[in-house]
Amino acid sequence: MSRRLAPWRERPSTLTYCRFFLMHMPDPVAILEKMYRWTRPGGVIAAQEFDFGSMTIEPICPSMTEFCRLFVGAFCGHGRNMRAGRQLPAQFEAANLGVPDGTRAEVKFIPLSGMAATLTGVYQGLFASAMELGIADDTRAEAFKTEVLEATADGR
């Protein structure tokens, strides 16, 4: 008995889905074209992407300025697409899939204190990569962590 999977062309899917994937690909249109080949006629191709192009905080504070500096530097420094979410309709059209028949965009307004754990985790996750690019240092990282902890304590 063979445990090898049949090639995709022999097993088309009813649903082909990617989440937070195209932003990391140098040619997202080529990926969407592959997804089309993997999807049986009448099936669904779905993609979900972030759009970091409008990431901000008001009023401006040092911790978010530092977070955005490190995030954008590491993300772009490694060739990732900050605006993948807003580019999906054009990418679907470029892959000859037509305009998506369902698009949803969402904006969230969250206090810094509510985002502290996420921001700290992302910052720490990107830190080594940012160090390789020469855009991170321990002093800034410590100041970032301190301010985020203070914001959590005082409810900012």
Side-chain angles (χ1 to χ4, degrees), residues 18 20-25 28 31-32 35 47 49 84 88 91:
C18 66
F20 312 143
F21 179 70
L22 298 174
M23 71 177 80
H24 300 286
M25 297 294 104
I31 300 299
L32 289 169
M35 290 173 70
E49 294 292 328
L88 278 175
Q91 291 169 349

Side-chain angles (χ1 to χ4, degrees), residues 91-149:
Q91 291 169 349
F92 267 71
E93 286 188 88
N96 293 315
L97 301 175
V99 178
D101 59 8
T103 301
R104 179 173 171 213
E106 185 175 299
V107 176
K108 295 188 180 215
F109 295 96
I110 303 168
L112 181 57
S113 58
M115 288 294 298
T118 299
L119 294 172
T120 302
V122 170
Y123 191 96
Q124 290 171 339
L126 291 173
F127 189 79
S129 176
M131 286 287 283
E132 289 174 12
L133 293 167
I135 60 171
D137 65 70
D138 291 327
T139 303
R140 283 182 166 172
E142 208 47 52
F144 167 78
K145 289 180 209 170
T146 299
E147 183 170 4
V148 169
L149 288 172

Side-chain angles (χ1 to χ4, degrees), residues 15 63 108:
L15 169 67
S63 60
K108 295 188 180 215

Side-chain angles (χ1 to χ4, degrees), residues 27-43:
D27 189 355
V29 172
I31 300 299
L32 289 169
E33 290 168 342
K34 285 183 182 183
M35 290 173 70
Y36 176 76
R37 289 193 301 273
W38 297 337
T39 307
R40 70 177 48 151

